[in-house]
């Protein structure tokens, strides 16, 4: 008779959480890596690293929110330049939030979900 052990041990790896948050900056280099790399990190380690599920969902939700905001802002440029203002705001927030969440992850805190639409809950 074979007994399968369902108890998994989770490791505390704050460095991986920090890397996941900072990998969002790959968007500035590749244009899409800021969504793909954190998604892969989350999918591969959400069951083995403490906090990765929560932080990974936060990162994916944030990146999808930024993408949606950017897509909506581009046609809004024709409306008295409101799209330009929203793109500037999105750019500032998209630069600051990953840094804030990386610091929070290194301290073992929950991620900040400022202006994030919860696509994945």
């Amino acid at each position: 008779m074979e007994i399968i052990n369902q108890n998994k041990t989770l490791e505390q790896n704050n460095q991986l959480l920090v890397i996941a948050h900072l990998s969002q900056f790959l968007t500035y280099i590749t244009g899409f890596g800021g969504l793909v790399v954190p998604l892969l990190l989350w999918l591969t380690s959400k069951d083995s690293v403490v906090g990765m599920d929560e932080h990974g969902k936060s990162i994916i939700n944030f990146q999808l929110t930024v993408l949606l905001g950017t897509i909506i802002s581009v046609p809004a440029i024709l409306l008295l330049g409101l799209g330009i203002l929203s793109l500037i705001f999105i750019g500032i927030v998209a630069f600051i939030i990953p840094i804030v969440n990386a610091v929070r992850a290194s301290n073992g805190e929950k991620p900040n979900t400022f202006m994030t639409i919860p696509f994945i809950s």
Side-chain angles (χ1 to χ4, degrees):
M1 182 171 168
E2 182 178 338
I3 298 174
I4 300 173
N5 187 1
Q6 295 293 332
N7 297 330
K8 293 182 181 179
T9 58
L10 298 176
E11 67 174 293
Q12 183 72 33
N13 192 347
N14 289 348
Q15 289 88 6
L16 186 61
L17 297 176
V18 171
I19 289 170
H21 283 288
L22 294 180
S23 68
Q24 294 177 73
F25 290 123
L26 288 173
T27 298
Y28 296 113
I29 298 168
T30 65
F32 60 88
L35 177 63
V36 174
V37 173
L39 179 64
L40 291 175
L41 286 172
W42 173 57
L43 290 175
T44 57
S45 60
K46 67 181 178 180
D47 295 328
S48 61
V49 176
V50 174
M52 179 56 89
D53 192 41
E54 181 180 15
H55 283 270
K57 287 178 184 178
S58 171
I59 293 169
I60 301 307
N61 286 333
F62 179 71
Q63 285 297 312
L64 291 175
T65 302
V66 167
L67 180 65
L68 181 65
T70 303
I71 290 171
I72 291 172
S73 296
V74 170
I77 291 174
L78 300 174
L79 301 172
L80 304 172
L82 294 177
I84 293 174
L85 294 175
S86 63
L87 285 174
I88 292 170
F89 177 74
I90 290 169
I92 292 170
V93 170
F95 187 78
I96 293 173
I97 294 296
I99 295 171
V100 169
N101 282 337
V103 171
R104 291 177 68 94
S106 69
N107 293 332
E109 300 173 10
K110 294 182 183 235
N112 183 355
T113 56
F114 174 74
M115 304 264 314
T116 302
I117 300 169
F119 294 102
I120 303 170
S121 57

